[in-house]
Amino acid sequence: MSHSDTPSVLFVCVHNAGRSQMAAAWLSHLAGDRIEVRSAGSAPADALNPAVVEAMAEVGIDITDQSPKILTVEAVEASDVCVTMGCGDTCPIFPGKRYLDWTLPDPAGQGVEAVRPIRDEIRTRVERLIAEIGARREA
């Protein structure tokens, strides 16, 4: 685990404007302060995808205060679990870290109708991740 007793998760996608932002928002919403959350992109966009912001608002989660962030070595080093979403080999690999690759459609250029099923799939995967992290910590 990380230096503190709180496990940490980093979500990475190319632009950090859609999938990784939704995953980070779900994890923060569902786990509260039990899990430290980060998100980043290998080539961050200038702003969040508006359809992603709208889709999250529909489920009561406001992400308007978030912005795309660049992926750094420090963010990976500080995280226990790194979840990549369609960014290929851009995430640096460190021994002792757990890496997951979630294959999800890219919401870039999509309307809110196309983003909703991606949002819901991310929620399901985040719930599973929370259960796995909780089970590992109790073991």
Side-chain angles (χ1 to χ4, degrees):
M1 290 289 162
S2 60
H3 300 296
S4 72
D5 288 338
T6 306
S8 58
V9 177
L10 169 65
F11 295 102
V12 182
C13 66
V14 176
H15 301 298
N16 191 222
R19 294 167 289 188
S20 56
Q21 292 282 351
M22 286 191 283
W26 275 123
L27 185 54
S28 293
H29 179 76
L30 296 169
D33 60 3
R34 293 179 297 145
I35 300 174
E36 189 178 344
V37 182
R38 296 178 181 85
S39 72
S42 52
D46 293 329
L48 297 186
N49 177 331
V52 166
V53 173
E54 183 179 342
M56 293 305 287
E58 288 177 353
V59 293
I61 300 175
D62 180 7
I63 61 171
T64 56
D65 63 338
Q66 299 300 309
S67 61
K69 294 167 276 309
I70 187 72
L71 175 64
T72 64
V73 169
E74 294 78 21
V76 178
E77 285 183 317
S79 301
D80 298 309
V81 180
C82 300
V83 180
T84 58
M85 304 174 190
C87 57
D89 298 328
T90 57
C91 190
I93 304 295
F94 292 99
K97 302 290 178 194
R98 180 172 174 215
Y99 293 88
L100 302 172
D101 186 45
W102 291 356
T103 304
L104 295 159
D106 188 348
Q110 304 285 333
V112 71
E113 298 79 18
V115 173
R116 285 183 189 118
I118 302 168
R119 172 200 67 202
D120 296 344
E121 174 63 21
I122 289 172
R123 179 185 179 140
T124 299
R125 292 181 188 212
V126 165
E127 288 172 336
R128 210 173 302 137
L129 181 63
I130 292 167
E132 289 171 19
I133 289 172
R136 283 173 183 241
R137 289 182 56 73
E138 291 164 14

